[in-house]
Amino acid sequence: MSHKILIADDEPEIRSLLRLYLENEQYEVIEAENGTDALRLAGVHKPDLIMLDIMMPGMDGFQVLKHIRENNNVPVIIISAKDEDSSKILGLNLGADDYISKPFNPLEAVARVNSNIRRFYSLGANADEPKVLEVRDLVLDTESFTLTRAGKTIELTSVEYKIMELLMSHPGKVYTKQQIYEYAWGDEYFIADNNIMVCISKLRSKLSDDGTEYIKTLRGLGYRLEK
């Protein structure tokens, strides 16, 4: 069964270009021309990934993303002409999994879609891997892709999930930023300290009021999950 991709962008040329390349990769494509339609179609069609423009009439991409993250951890790729670090960080803070700046190479866009789909929907594919990871009061179920703390579910984005999966697989082990980036984002590492720092900060706030009790920073080395 092919994966469904929702493209939300007010520029028909962008939607048509992405549809052409994505359908060539055997994806099923759904289009929305504004934020309101994007939110409605996301609820109706349950897409496997959403490509979301920031500047749209009515409801912008950030607002749509905020609503989606209230009850859904579907992978979201922000697409926008706003390529400033502040916009990227805001998108990541709201729960975006990836970011593409206009103008973009459609082949790169497809590669990012493939990477996010593979990362999110191939989790736990290896039957030899443990299905449940437990560290202190944290429990990560690699079949349902859920994290609980003291029995309470913690909503995670796909990147946040992968970071927790890596850290919980070897509690106490220090992972470098490069190791975390390549595992969680599925791409070759480049200078992406802000992305990692934002995600770690978000994870800490989700884990507890003082998330540093779980995820420890070792300056100049990386991060580890405290046993």
Side-chain angles (χ1 to χ4, degrees), residues 8 18 20 33 62 67 74 86 91 124-125 143 153 164-165 167 170 177-178 181 183 185 194 202 204 217 222-223:
L18 288 172
L20 176 65
E33 62 182 8
F62 290 140
H67 282 294
V74 62
S86 59
E143 289 193 323
T153 299
M164 288 303 298
E165 182 182 51
L167 296 179
H170 293 92
K177 290 178 179 178
Q178 178 175 349
Y181 186 86
Y183 186 85
W185 274 266
N194 284 345
K202 288 288 289 183
R204 284 173 170 159
T217 300
Y223 301 92

Side-chain angles (χ1 to χ4, degrees), residues 57-127:
M59 183 184 295
D60 67 29
F62 290 140
Q63 292 173 300
V64 175
L65 178 57
K66 188 175 180 180
H67 282 294
I68 288 172
R69 283 294 177 253
E70 289 176 356
N71 55 22
N72 198 321
N73 65 342
V74 62
V76 175
I77 300 176
I78 291 288
I79 305 178
S80 177
K82 288 189 172 182
D83 58 357
E84 301 90 346
D85 284 343
S86 59
S87 294
K88 295 180 181 180
I89 291 173
L90 177 56
L92 290 168
N93 268 323
L94 291 174
D97 297 280
D98 209 343
Y99 198 108
I100 301 176
S101 298
K102 297 178 183 177
F104 57 83
N105 183 327
L107 292 176
E108 178 193 354
V110 170
R112 289 184 180 273
V113 168
N114 290 339
S115 176
N116 278 274
I117 288 286
R118 181 172 59 251
R119 178 175 64 237
F120 190 73
Y121 296 100
S122 298
L123 297 176
N126 190 341

Side-chain angles (χ1 to χ4, degrees), residues 177 200 204 212 215-224:
K177 290 178 179 178
I200 292 293
R204 284 173 170 159
T212 55
I215 302 177
K216 179 76 172 178
T217 300
L218 285 86
R219 192 174 300 276
L221 295 176
Y223 301 92
R224 74 174 179 222

Side-chain angles (χ1 to χ4, degrees), residues 33-46:
E33 62 182 8
N34 57 61
T36 304
D37 283 349
L39 204 55
R40 177 180 60 83
L41 291 172
V44 171
H45 293 281
K46 311 296 183 188

